[in-house]
Each structure stands twice: as C-alpha cells, then as structure tokens.
Amino acid sequence: MRKSAGYTTLAAVGLLILSSLTACANDAAGTASTSKGDGKGTKVKIMVGGLDKVIYLPAMLTQRLGYFDAEGLDVEMLSEPAGVQAETALVSGQVQGAVGFYDHTLDLQTKGKSVESVVQFSHAPGEVEIVSSKAAGDIKSPKDFKGKKLGITGLGSSTDFLTKYLAVKNGVNVSDFTPVAVGAGPTFISALQKGAIDGGMTTDPTVATILDKKAGKVLLDMRTPEGSQEALGGPYPSSSLYMQTDWVNSHKDTVQKLANAFVKTLKWMSTHSAMQIADKMPADYSQGNKILYAAAIESTLPMFTKDGAMPKDGPETVEKVLKAFNPNVKNAKVDLSKTFTTEFVEQAAG
C-alpha cells in the first residue's frame, strides 16, 4: 500500500493572484456535459460527480493525456453536480463506471447493490469546511453547527455524509442543523454570500475562489492525509473509479485497460507541477485565472495516490464515519472486502 507522500504547500497564494476570478468552473449543474473519445476502440461511459472539480481531476486529465486512446478505449465522460447523482446513473445502468467517493460502495451494499472501487484516486477527502465571513465569529468548530444552515452538494452525497459525521463527532445531532443542497462552484459561492448558508463543505476550485473573494474562511481542511487524520481519525479514501461488481467480473479486459490508463495518470501527476497539470486541462476550467486554478490544484494534490491502490485502514475509517450517523450502515454487517479490489491496479503497476 502507498504511504503518504511528502508535499509542498503553495505559500502565499493570495500574493500570486493577478486578477479576481469572475466565476468558478461550471459544475454542470442542471445539465450533463459530455467529453467524447475518438469513436474508436471499446466504448465505455463514465459519469463523474463534477468533471471540473479538482478532486476528480484524474478523469479529464487521463482523457487529455491520451491514455484512454492508448489503451484502445473510447471513453465518454458525463458530468453531474454531485457524486450521489453519479452513483444513481451507475446503478440504473446508464453508465458503466462512476467517478465519485468510495463511501458510496458501503452505503450501496447495505441496500443490496454490489459495487466496488477498482481504482482509488485518493487517500484523503479533498474536502474543506468553509464558514462565511459573516458567520466566522459564531462557528469556531463543528461544535457550533447547532442551529446553522450548512451547504452540501446534494442530499445523500459524500459532503452530506462527512458533514453529519463532523457534527456527531462533536456532540451535535444531525437533527440540530439544516443541510442545504447548493451544489458547488457559483451556486455554492452565491449561497454563502447571500446568507442562504452559514458555511458548508466544498472542494477546489470553489475553495480557492471563496478565499480570493474573501467570502469565507477555512474551518477544517481535509485536502491532505494529515488533515484527514485530524478530522476523521485516519486515511479516508474518497475519489475513485467504482463500478458494479457483476460488470467488472464480466468485462475484466476493459476494466484492466481503464486501470492501466488511470494509474499512468496518477504517476504522471506525481512527477509534474500544479501548473503543468493546469496546462493540460480544458481552458475554461481556469475561468481566465490560470494562477488561481493552479493554486487550487496545488492545494489538493496531496490527496492523490500514486498507484491507485486502496490505502491501508482506509475502508475501516470510512465504515467508522458512516456508522456514526447512517442507520443503514450502523445496523448492517458490511463486507469491506467486497467494496474494493486491488486486482487491476496491481497488474497495472506490475
């Protein structure tokens, strides 16, 4: 298993900002965007819980680097604002794969659905709990969540899961605060600025934009393994490629090619700078401010694995988090060995 890699923190991000970011990358709210392959090779559809979110960056980056094509795959990527919607698309058979949080595999198992992570992109959530500048004086820690309106991407999403865990861990009942589904990007920022939410959980590049606009402050930072350890008590495998187990078992050659492509990307990311990564991404992802976008990538890079392998004790941490507030998981016996496989990433590395 991969150990936490050392990393450098981008210092004084604010000093590097040359101009204000007028809008955050569109998280495809309302409509699904598509990214199509060249029409050659084995066709695979993958739904991503926000293609332009930095936590899911390996999906688009693999396409841009040409690694799908090199494996003989014609991958069509679609985007939804939240991971829970990617999950829905997968279990309904609309797509063959989903890029979203690993924790959905546990939740789905308790509902009789067999889904497994085949490539683990990360060993930390990549999430940040932000409080509005106006509410910063009242919310000093999750202990102060009581009576507050807290933004999440969607009900049943991983941001919903993690927010509830942080509340319960700090003595606040899930019924004592109000989760508000506000998506990410411009919709999250607008809700924060207008007071529709007092704070919330989101990712880069939304975090970088909020800080640049001075619209909010960081309460908890889970973009690094150290931040995950402090907030959640261990490594928290989050963004991943997960698929229905039956499909994996009946299409092993295709799954292996997907794993080969994603592992190549993770290795590439580990040897290139945030700006080099930003240069490979679609131009509109930076929304006219490449320096801010690169800063967002730099802040989030520590969450990614180099080899796509499940981090040691990661599934146990996720189970502990879900059992704290999720009655389905709390009252069920989850077989963690069926929620992920290392078969394909091990072969990709070998």
Side-chain angles (χ1 to χ4, degrees):
M1 298 297 177
R2 178 183 183 272
K3 302 296 183 182
S4 299
Y7 63 92
T8 58
T9 302
L10 187 67
V13 169
L15 297 177
L16 296 176
I17 308 306
L18 300 180
S19 61
S20 296
L21 186 63
T22 56
C24 191
N26 190 325
D27 275 310
T31 59
S33 63
T34 63
S35 174
K36 296 184 179 181
D38 60 7
K40 301 175 183 177
T42 304
K43 188 165 184 63
V44 182
K45 287 186 179 182
I46 297 176
M47 184 67 78
V48 184
L51 257 175
D52 47 15
K53 293 177 183 177
V54 178
I55 57 171
Y56 300 141
L57 182 149
M60 177 56 74
L61 183 58
T62 303
Q63 188 88 285
R64 303 284 288 188
L65 290 171
Y67 291 160
F68 290 138
D69 289 345
E71 291 291 333
L73 298 172
D74 175 23
V75 175
E76 180 180 358
M77 288 189 294
L78 301 98
S79 185
E80 287 285 3
V84 66
Q85 292 160 320
E87 169 199 297
T88 300
L90 177 69
V91 298
S92 66
Q94 298 175 49
V95 296
Q96 290 78 52
V99 170
F101 269 38
Y102 161 73
D103 53 23
H104 291 294
T105 67
L106 280 73
D107 187 53
L108 285 169
Q109 189 182 114
T110 67
K111 299 172 182 175
K113 305 291 185 181
S114 184
V115 174
E116 61 188 15
S117 165
V118 296
V119 183
Q120 194 60 50
F121 297 163
S122 63
H123 50 182
E127 301 282 353
V128 177
E129 185 69 28
I130 291 277
V131 294
S132 71
S133 296
K134 182 179 180 181
D138 297 327
I139 306 176
K140 300 293 187 181
S141 81
K143 294 178 181 178
D144 302 319
F145 282 176
K146 188 173 183 178
K148 300 298 189 292
K149 295 172 291 184
L150 301 176
I152 55 175
T153 53
L155 297 175
S157 67
S158 295
T159 52
D160 188 16
F161 291 167
L162 288 171
T163 300
K164 287 176 177 176
Y165 174 73
L166 291 174
V168 171
K169 180 186 176 185
N170 288 275
V172 179
N173 295 324
V174 295
S175 59
D176 289 340
F177 68 92
T178 304
V180 183
V182 292
T187 54
F188 186 101
I189 296 168
S190 176
L192 196 70
Q193 291 177 317
K194 293 179 179 179
I197 56 175
D198 301 298
M201 191 170 292
T202 191
T203 61
D204 277 311
T206 307
V207 175
T209 307
I210 290 170
L211 298 180
D212 183 47
K213 291 177 176 289
K214 296 180 173 55
K217 298 180 179 179
V218 173
L219 183 69
L220 287 172
D221 191 339
M222 294 177 285
R223 290 175 291 189
T224 68
E226 292 81 4
S228 177
Q229 180 71 41
E230 182 178 352
L232 306 173
Y236 196 93
S238 57
S239 58
S240 64
L241 170 68
Y242 62 87
M243 313 179 89
Q244 296 203 61
T245 302
D246 286 346
W247 199 90
V248 171
N249 291 337
S250 59
H251 297 80
K252 288 200 171 189
D253 182 60
T254 300
V255 177
Q256 186 61 61
K257 290 176 179 179
L258 287 167
N260 292 344
F262 280 125
V263 170
K264 285 179 187 176
T265 298
L266 292 168
K267 288 180 179 177
W268 189 92
M269 289 170 61
S270 72
T271 58
H272 289 75
S273 70
M275 184 57 77
Q276 288 173 319
I277 294 171
D279 285 340
K280 289 290 184 182
M281 302 301 286
D284 61 331
Y285 282 23
S286 65
Q287 289 290 295
N289 194 328
K290 182 67 74 68
I291 290 178
L292 187 61
Y293 182 55
I297 293 173
E298 177 77 13
S299 297
T300 306
L301 275 178
M303 74 176 278
F304 293 108
T305 68
K306 289 182 180 178
D307 54 12
M310 177 64 71
K312 183 180 179 182
D313 301 327
E316 288 78 10
T317 303
V318 173
E319 183 180 33
K320 178 194 71 174
V321 167
L322 296 183
K323 279 185 177 294
F325 67 87
N326 187 320
N328 291 334
V329 179
K330 186 175 183 179
N331 300 319
K333 174 63 177 176
V334 177
D335 186 345
L336 293 177
S337 69
K338 293 182 178 178
T339 61
F340 71 97
T341 177
T342 59
E343 173 186 349
F344 302 99
V345 295
E346 286 174 358
Q347 188 168 325

